[in-house]
């Protein structure tokens, strides 16, 4: 027994002596540093789980447990007291294996640069320069969005060019051609017109869209009365641009005046959280966080909420989540206690609130994708599939199998691989069925799975984790519950613990549901997961049937040449390799056949007579 295993057993023995009462447990490493703090309704049950089988833990927990040298605990009178104490201790000690969120909510400002061609920008701090600053503001996201909107509406530049130094020196950038910049660099915009637009943009960021529209409307009507139709038209266009912006913002308005909306998306080894903060029914702030490790969604939400509001002063009366939260009533009570007013945790199932959660989840998936090198739609589809199947982590590496034959003849199988939601064609594999005679899809699938994971065992023994040496996160079979029930015992016998599901088609050969040993899971309501699964099923069918047709063609070609006296398998293979096709063999002259590799004059004469004789 190695030292690490001996330590784990020692810790488990100590954990089994803990009381079955609420409390907080504190994990230390060899140096005495606190590396994890948790709470439990029953200390004995919770702490002993850490030192049991490693199969029940993700990579982050396994890493934490491997570094634990000893633990201590504090008993509490209730689970609620344990939650409050845990939150306080985490905030004080910042253990590296807890979810830790960096509180970067400092103040920010709107910067107005000096000179005859002033600029607007959102900044996090004041510089020692000649610029003027408006603020401070709390939400950098909302200020940045406001400044960006002002620059687009009033067609102000956001490039790094200096004016008047760079006027007339270069061509305008793309923003000019899409009507989002007046392009002073062209030298065709007067300084007076530029400053007029700049002052209107400043009024917009100071007073908001409603105040800005009222003032612009007044000035537009005045210009029209004075017959200055050119100015009136410019003002009209700016009013229309502001109104279009307001229409787009209505998409993310909330029917609940003050609330925070939370959503998460999990990848293979990381979890992304997105927060939408609403005040007065409008989105006033948003935040994105990325944490290491994955855990069941309800636990992840509970841990994140406690960490998030431990460093926030403002707690809204409504907290809306994209799914269930572990110890939801307890967390709501804790939020109520911290905020000094009743806080309700809401998990909507339909309607506008559900739409906000979906939008928040899409942004979480997009943030995860940006940090992991994926595309947003792939990350979102994989996370949707994870939720649908109840997987512990996002299935980054998926293998799918299909059997193809014609009335039991030329029995073959195809395996396709999708990595991070995209086909990994270098990992595709083809199988000739060797042990099954006739049309027996269940038997053929058992053989293929047995051969594939037999190769996995061999590779693992050699220390090779590439190709068949890599274990998939999810196995899919082109077939229903019968295929799953036929293959599952093979995996269990080999000790392979990978989720297994079948892909069920409707009478029009379209993906309809996912089959498991106990029944079917409908996928029609999960659009992104449905699209991904349909793509995988279509691809494995194309790959398997393509291999089957290739084998049938080879069989037909071989039978034609092998029917000629004196032509065996090796000579037939040489002829096809030299002439490429049977048609070319038949059209060849006798002298060409005689010169072909592996041929002699008698054999060449028999082949020539076969294709040119009276009965050819």
């Amino acid at each position: 027994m190695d030292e690490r295993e001996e330590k784990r057993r020692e810790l488990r023995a100590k954990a089994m002596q803990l009381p079955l009462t609420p409390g907080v447990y504190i994990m230390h490493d060899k140096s005495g540093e606190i590396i994890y703090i948790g709470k439990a309704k029953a200390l004995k049950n919770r702490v002993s789980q850490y030192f049991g089988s490693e199969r029940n833990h993700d990579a982050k927990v396994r890493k934490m447990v491997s570094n634990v040298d000893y633990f201590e605990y504090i008993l509490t009178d209730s689970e609620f007291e344990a939650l409050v104490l845990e939150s306080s201790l985490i905030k004080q000690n910042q253990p590296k294996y807890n979810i830790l969120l960096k509180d970067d909510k400092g103040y920010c400002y709107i910067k107005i640069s000096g000179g005859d061609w002033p600029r607007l920008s959102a900044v996090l701090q004041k510089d020692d320069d000649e610029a003027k600053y408006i603020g401070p503001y709390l939400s950098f996201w909302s200020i940045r969005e406001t400044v960006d909107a002002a620059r687009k509406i009033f067609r102000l530049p956001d490039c790094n060019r200096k004016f008047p130094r760079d006027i007339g020196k270069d061509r305008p950038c793309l923003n000019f051609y899409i009507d989002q910049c007046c392009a002073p660099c062209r030298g065709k915009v007067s300084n007076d017109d530029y400053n007029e637009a700049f002052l209107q943009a400043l009024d917009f960021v100071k007073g908001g869209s409603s105040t800005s529209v009222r003032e612009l409307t007044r000035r537009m009507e005045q210009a029209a009365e004075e017959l200055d139709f050119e100015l009136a038209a410019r003002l009209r266009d700016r009013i229309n641009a502001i109104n279009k912006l307001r229409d787009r913002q209505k998409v993310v308005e909330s029917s609940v005046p003050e609330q925070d909306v939370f959503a998460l998306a999990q990848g293979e080894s990381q979890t992304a959280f997105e927060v939408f903060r609403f005040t007065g029914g409008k989105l006033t702030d948003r935040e994105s966080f990325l944490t290491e490790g994955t855990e069941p969604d309800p636990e992840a939400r509970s841990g994140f909420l406690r960490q998030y509001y431990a460093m926030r002063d403002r707690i809204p009366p409504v907290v809306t989540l994209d799914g269930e939260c572990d110890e939801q009533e307890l967390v709501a009570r804790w939020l109520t206690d911290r905020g000094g007013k009743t806080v309700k945790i809401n998990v909507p199932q339909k309607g506008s609130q559900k739409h906000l959660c979906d939008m928040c989840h899409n942004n979480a998936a997009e943030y995860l994708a940006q940090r992991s090198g994926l595309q947003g739609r792939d990350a979102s589809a994989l996370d949707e599939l994870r939720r649908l199947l109840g997987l512990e982590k996002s299935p980054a590496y998926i293998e799918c199998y299909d059997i193809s034959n014609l009335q039991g003849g030329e029995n073959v199988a195809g395996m396709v691989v999708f990595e991070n939601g995209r086909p990994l064609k270098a990992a595709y594999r083809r199988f000739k069925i060797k042990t099954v005679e006739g049309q027996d899809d269940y038997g053929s699938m058992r053989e293929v799975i047995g051969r594939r994971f037999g190769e996995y065992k061999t590779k693992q023994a050699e220390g090779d984790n590439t190709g068949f040496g890599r274990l998939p996160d999810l196995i899919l079979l082109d077939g229903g519950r019968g295929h799953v029930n036929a293959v599952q015992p093979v995996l269990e016998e080999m000790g392979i613990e990978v989720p297994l599901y079948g892909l069920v088609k409707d009478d029009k050969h379209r993906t309809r549901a996912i089959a498991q040993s106990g029944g079917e899971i409908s996928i029609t309501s999960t659009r992104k997961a449905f699209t991904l699964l349909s793509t995988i099923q279509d691809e494995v069918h194309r790959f398997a049937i393509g291999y089957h047709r290739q084998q049938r063609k080879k069989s037909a070609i071989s039978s034609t040449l092998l029917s000629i006296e004196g032509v065996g398998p090796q000579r037939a293979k040489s002829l096809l390799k030299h002439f490429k096709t049977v048609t070319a063999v038949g059209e060849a002259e006798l002298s060409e056949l005689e010169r072909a590799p592996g041929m002699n004059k008698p054999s060449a004469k028999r082949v020539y007579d076969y294709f040119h004789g009276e009965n050819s």
Side-chain angles (χ1 to χ4, degrees):
M1 184 187 306
D2 61 22
E3 182 181 346
R4 186 63 247 167
E5 179 64 19
E6 186 177 346
K7 170 60 72 172
R8 187 185 66 80
R9 292 193 176 188
E10 175 190 329
L11 291 170
R12 180 169 175 79
K14 290 181 179 180
M16 295 301 291
Q17 297 174 9
L18 294 176
L20 289 167
T21 55
V24 173
Y25 54 91
I26 304 167
M27 305 287 193
H28 296 261
D29 63 12
K30 288 184 178 180
S31 67
E33 181 183 352
I34 296 175
I35 60 174
Y36 187 77
I37 297 173
K39 65 158 190 63
K41 185 177 182 179
L43 279 169
K44 175 182 177 180
N45 295 343
R46 185 70 185 99
V47 178
S48 61
Q49 287 177 356
Y50 286 106
F51 308 111
S53 173
E54 291 189 345
R55 293 180 179 179
N56 300 323
H57 305 314
D58 64 16
K60 178 185 175 183
V61 174
R62 288 196 294 269
K63 181 69 173 175
M64 185 272 290
V65 171
S66 70
N67 287 310
V68 175
D69 187 65
Y70 67 96
F71 63 84
E72 54 184 336
Y73 60 95
I74 302 172
L75 298 179
T76 58
D77 292 335
S78 68
E79 193 178 359
F80 178 70
E81 287 185 9
L83 186 149
V84 174
L85 179 58
E86 176 205 35
S87 177
S88 175
L89 290 174
I90 290 174
K91 193 172 183 179
Q92 291 174 34
N93 295 280
Q94 298 284 295
K96 67 179 182 179
Y97 287 107
N98 284 95
I99 293 177
L100 299 177
L101 308 180
K102 184 179 178 182
D103 188 358
D104 57 355
K105 300 301 288 182
Y107 292 117
C108 55
Y109 303 85
I110 295 175
K111 179 179 179 179
I112 305 169
S113 65
D116 295 333
W117 302 80
R119 301 282 194 98
L120 282 176
S121 57
V123 296
L124 291 171
Q125 59 186 11
K126 291 182 178 181
D127 293 325
D128 188 14
D129 54 16
E130 297 179 356
K132 295 179 181 179
Y133 293 86
I134 305 173
Y137 301 97
L138 184 60
S139 171
F140 181 68
W141 174 82
S142 61
I143 292 304
R144 185 181 58 198
E145 292 287 301
T146 301
V147 169
D148 286 346
R151 286 195 296 226
K152 290 176 181 177
I153 291 169
F154 297 97
R155 304 178 69 235
L156 299 178
D158 63 359
C159 59
N160 295 322
R161 294 174 182 175
K162 304 291 184 182
F163 305 123
R165 186 194 68 187
D166 294 332
I167 291 178
K169 288 188 177 181
D170 205 350
R171 292 186 303 171
C173 62
L174 177 64
N175 283 350
F176 168 72
Y177 296 102
I178 60 176
D179 203 30
Q180 289 186 0
C181 180
C182 61
C185 54
R186 296 170 65 237
K188 295 184 179 181
V189 177
S190 70
N191 186 249
D192 290 340
D193 288 343
Y194 179 88
N195 278 283
E196 176 201 353
F198 178 82
L199 291 174
Q200 290 172 4
L202 194 57
D203 289 340
F204 173 82
V205 298
K206 285 181 176 179
S209 59
S210 299
T211 303
S212 188
V213 166
R214 284 197 299 271
E215 176 60 21
L216 290 173
T217 302
R218 185 190 66 77
R219 293 187 59 190
M220 180 184 68
E221 291 172 350
Q222 181 181 346
E225 289 178 3
E226 296 173 357
L227 304 182
D228 190 349
F229 298 117
E230 185 177 349
L231 174 59
R234 285 205 306 271
L235 294 172
R236 178 204 61 202
D237 292 342
R238 288 166 187 169
I239 293 169
N240 290 338
I242 293 173
N243 288 332
K244 285 181 181 178
L245 176 69
R246 288 163 65 178
D247 290 340
R248 288 199 300 271
Q249 289 174 337
K250 288 179 182 177
V251 175
V252 289
E253 285 185 348
S254 168
S255 58
V256 179
E258 187 177 0
Q259 70 167 335
D260 290 348
V261 180
F262 292 81
L264 66 82
Q266 293 203 25
E268 188 175 11
S269 60
Q270 294 177 311
T271 302
F273 295 91
E274 187 78 13
V275 187
F276 286 175
R277 311 201 80 181
F278 288 88
T279 305
K282 296 187 179 297
L283 180 63
T284 56
D285 197 7
R286 59 170 287 197
E287 298 175 87
S288 303
F289 300 89
L290 190 68
T291 64
E292 292 299 322
T294 60
E295 55 186 345
D297 288 4
E299 292 181 25
R301 291 189 187 96
S302 178
F304 179 80
L305 284 178
R306 300 201 301 273
Q307 280 293 297
Y308 182 81
Y309 285 115
M311 63 185 198
R312 293 288 181 269
D313 295 327
R314 170 185 167 265
I315 299 179
V318 178
V319 173
T320 302
L321 307 179
D322 66 330
E324 295 300 323
C325 171
D326 199 26
E327 301 168 324
Q328 188 165 307
E329 293 182 4
L330 203 64
V331 174
R333 181 181 168 188
W334 178 75
L335 292 174
T336 298
D337 188 65
R338 274 190 57 80
K341 58 186 176 183
T342 302
V343 177
K344 177 186 176 184
I345 295 180
N346 178 38
V347 183
Q349 302 300 316
K350 59 182 179 180
S352 59
Q353 289 292 94
K354 178 64 166 60
H355 176 70
L356 282 179
C357 287
D358 291 341
M359 187 183 301
C360 194
H361 172 259
N362 289 338
N363 279 269
E366 179 64 31
Y367 187 69
L368 177 67
Q370 290 173 0
R371 296 301 184 275
S372 57
L374 304 179
Q375 290 196 9
R377 63 178 182 179
D378 297 330
S380 185
L382 290 171
D383 187 63
E384 202 172 78
L385 181 59
R386 176 189 66 83
R387 296 183 183 208
L388 179 69
L389 302 181
L391 304 178
E392 292 182 2
K393 64 177 184 177
S394 181
Y397 198 81
I398 302 173
E399 291 181 0
C400 186
Y401 298 83
D402 187 20
I403 304 297
S404 184
N405 57 61
L406 182 63
Q407 297 179 347
E410 301 300 332
N411 207 357
V412 299
M415 179 194 90
V416 301
V417 175
F418 275 61
E419 186 174 34
N420 294 325
R422 295 300 178 95
L424 183 62
K425 295 196 174 183
Y428 285 18
R429 294 294 183 269
R430 303 181 297 188
F431 300 84
K432 283 185 180 179
I433 305 302
K434 300 176 180 178
T435 63
V436 177
E437 296 291 338
Q439 192 166 356
D440 181 0
D441 285 2
Y442 294 167
S444 299
M445 195 68 83
R446 282 193 294 266
E447 178 192 321
V448 170
I449 295 297
R451 286 166 57 187
R452 185 265 181 263
F453 288 101
E455 285 292 319
Y456 168 74
K457 296 281 188 180
T458 302
K459 289 255 190 179
Q460 286 294 295
E462 298 170 352
D464 186 354
N465 295 321
T466 61
F468 278 163
R470 180 175 180 178
L471 205 62
D473 300 316
L474 176 65
I475 300 172
L476 299 175
L477 309 177
D478 190 346
R481 187 169 55 181
H483 286 78
V484 175
N485 290 334
V487 168
Q488 189 68 58
V490 177
L491 294 176
E492 292 174 356
E493 185 179 341
M494 301 181 76
I496 303 297
E497 296 183 0
V498 177
L500 173 70
Y501 293 89
L503 296 175
V504 185
K505 297 176 181 176
D506 59 18
D507 54 2
K508 294 184 180 179
H509 212 69
R510 296 176 301 194
T511 308
R512 175 178 61 80
I514 294 180
Q516 53 184 351
S517 57
E520 292 184 359
I521 302 173
S522 175
I523 59 174
T524 53
S525 61
T526 52
R527 181 174 57 84
K528 293 174 183 174
F530 172 79
T531 301
L532 174 62
L533 291 172
S534 297
T535 301
I536 293 174
Q537 189 170 31
D538 291 344
E539 177 68 358
V540 74
H541 179 70
R542 177 200 67 79
F543 187 65
I545 201 170
Y547 183 44
H548 171 67
R549 287 171 178 163
Q550 179 184 334
Q551 292 302 111
R552 284 175 56 195
K553 184 177 179 181
K554 282 185 177 180
S555 177
I557 290 171
S558 298
S559 62
T560 299
L561 294 177
L562 290 173
S563 65
I564 304 173
E565 184 184 353
V567 177
Q570 189 61 42
R571 186 164 279 166
K573 183 178 179 180
S574 297
L575 282 171
L576 283 175
K577 185 176 180 180
H578 182 72
F579 290 101
K580 308 302 182 186
T581 66
V582 173
T583 302
V585 174
E587 293 174 351
E589 296 295 332
L590 179 59
S591 58
E592 292 179 288
L593 292 169
E594 290 174 348
R595 292 194 299 270
M599 296 294 288
N600 53 38
K601 288 188 176 181
S603 298
K605 184 69 167 63
R606 281 192 286 268
V607 171
Y608 184 82
D609 289 344
Y610 178 86
F611 287 104
H612 295 83
E614 294 181 359
N615 299 322
S616 62

